[in-house]
């Protein structure tokens, strides 16, 4: 079974631009979560989508948004990029249940904001 | 929200040595996972272990949920074990505004010297 895939793997943008990242979950998984990893803040939860609905959200500004499609693929968008948005963005998929919800991560998208 | 503390933050060992990594968490959990982050940033699943003991080759893990800690054991270390090991938990406490996704510790940076 194919793992979680993320595209693109690397991105370079300038301040003020916007960016869209894509994540395809493991087949059969309905939950997709997004995380940001920076050297200073570590790994932080952004949001989670389940069956096309945002179910949970972390403590990030509204510039960070996402969506999920009917095939469970997800995108996240960051508008008006700031230097501090430079990070590794990781996507994780899971079955989405509360009793068993092991998460599997993709390889990440490394975003650099200049 | 739930707090996760990992110790030690850094660990340098000779090849062949054994090690124990600890993860303390501040509240009851539905999910506890151990990950190894490879040099390219991908999080590799090691264990899904909200309670009990599991073993996989040279690695084993134990979670004592009632005492709110988990241990990851690595025996007969190899240079390929080097990297950062993360513990991540999902609180079982519903916050009303939605759960926070996985909360990660700051990791243990393990270096295995030949």
């Amino acid at each position: 079974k194919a793992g979680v895939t993320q595209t693109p793997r690397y991105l370079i943008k300038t301040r003020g631009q916007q960016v869209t990242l894509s994540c395809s979950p493991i087949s059969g998984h309905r939950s997709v979560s997004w995380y940001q990893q920076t050297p200073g803040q570590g790994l932080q939860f952004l949001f989670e989508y389940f069956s096309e609905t945002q179910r949970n959200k972390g403590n990030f500004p509204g510039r960070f948004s996402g969506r999920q499609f009917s095939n469970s693929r997800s995108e996240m968008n960051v508008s008006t990029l700031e230097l501090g948005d430079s990070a590794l963005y990781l996507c994780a998929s899971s079955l989405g249940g509360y009793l068993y919800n092991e998460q599997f991560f993709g390889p990440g998208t490394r975003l650099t904001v200049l | 929200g739930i707090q996760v503390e990992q110790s030690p933050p850094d660990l340098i060992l000779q090849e062949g040595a054994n090690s124990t990594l600890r993860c303390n968490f501040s509240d009851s959990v539905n999910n506890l996972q151990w990950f190894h982050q490879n040099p390219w940033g991908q999080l590799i699943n090691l264990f899904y272990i909200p309670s009990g003991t599991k073993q996989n080759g040279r690695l084993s893990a134990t979670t004592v949920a009632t005492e709110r800690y988990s241990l990851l054991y690595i025996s007969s270390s190899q240079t390929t074990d080097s990297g950062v090991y993360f513990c991540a938990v999902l609180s079982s406490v519903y916050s009303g505004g939605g759960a926070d996704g996985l909360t990660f510790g700051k990791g243990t940076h393990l270096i295995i010297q030949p």
Side-chain angles (χ1 to χ4, degrees):
Chain A
K1 188 182 275 191
V4 180
T5 59
Q6 292 187 244
T7 57
R9 295 294 310 279
Y10 302 91
L11 266 180
I12 299 176
K13 293 286 188 178
T14 56
R15 278 179 298 175
Q17 288 187 310
Q18 75 165 18
V19 66
T20 299
L21 313 181
S22 180
C23 171
S24 292
I26 292 170
S27 177
H29 285 192
R30 296 168 65 191
S31 168
V32 173
S33 300
W34 290 88
Y35 295 82
Q36 181 197 64
Q37 185 177 25
T38 59
Q41 299 299 316
L43 278 149
Q44 294 184 288
F45 170 71
L46 280 156
F47 31 64
E48 184 230 5
Y49 285 85
F50 181 83
S51 293
E52 303 179 64
T53 300
Q54 186 181 87
R55 193 163 60 170
N56 302 306
K57 189 177 190 304
N59 188 24
F60 278 81
R63 298 186 297 106
F64 292 82
S65 63
R67 59 178 175 168
Q68 187 180 34
F69 302 94
S70 58
N71 62 358
S72 293
R73 189 178 70 85
S74 176
E75 290 181 346
M76 69 163 279
N77 183 275
V78 188
S79 63
T80 320
L81 284 166
E82 301 177 359
L83 295 178
D85 298 332
S86 294
L88 178 66
Y89 290 89
L90 293 163
C91 157
S93 81
S94 72
L95 291 170
Y98 281 105
L99 292 181
Y100 172 70
N101 51 18
E102 183 176 6
Q103 298 198 19
F104 298 85
F105 283 79
T109 294
R110 195 168 295 277
L111 172 65
T112 302
V113 182
L114 302 175
Chain B
I2 193 167
Q3 306 296 315
V4 180
E5 292 185 4
Q6 290 187 244
S7 60
D10 300 284
L11 187 58
I12 302 175
L13 297 171
Q14 294 297 121
E15 203 167 21
N18 301 329
S19 58
T20 300
L21 282 57
R22 187 177 179 99
C23 171
N24 292 334
F25 45 96
S26 61
D27 216 329
S28 58
V29 297
N30 274 341
N31 174 357
L32 188 146
Q33 292 185 246
W34 283 97
F35 298 94
H36 177 206
Q37 189 164 40
N38 68 21
W40 298 273
Q42 181 154 13
L43 290 170
I44 309 299
N45 287 43
L46 297 177
F47 293 102
Y48 171 82
I49 188 165
S51 64
T53 298
K54 291 186 178 180
Q55 180 157 7
N56 184 3
R58 295 182 297 104
L59 274 60
S60 64
T62 294
T63 297
V64 184
T66 53
E67 297 187 23
R68 297 180 184 167
Y69 73 88
S70 182
L71 301 174
L72 176 68
Y73 304 97
I74 305 174
S75 64
S76 305
S77 299
Q78 301 175 358
T79 55
T80 52
D81 295 331
S82 296
V84 183
Y85 289 80
F86 288 102
C87 167
V89 303
L90 182 64
S91 173
S92 61
V93 177
Y94 181 64
S95 67
D100 294 332
L102 282 175
T103 299
F104 283 80
K106 294 188 183 301
T108 291
H109 187 194
L110 177 64
I111 297 174
I112 304 298
Q113 296 178 331

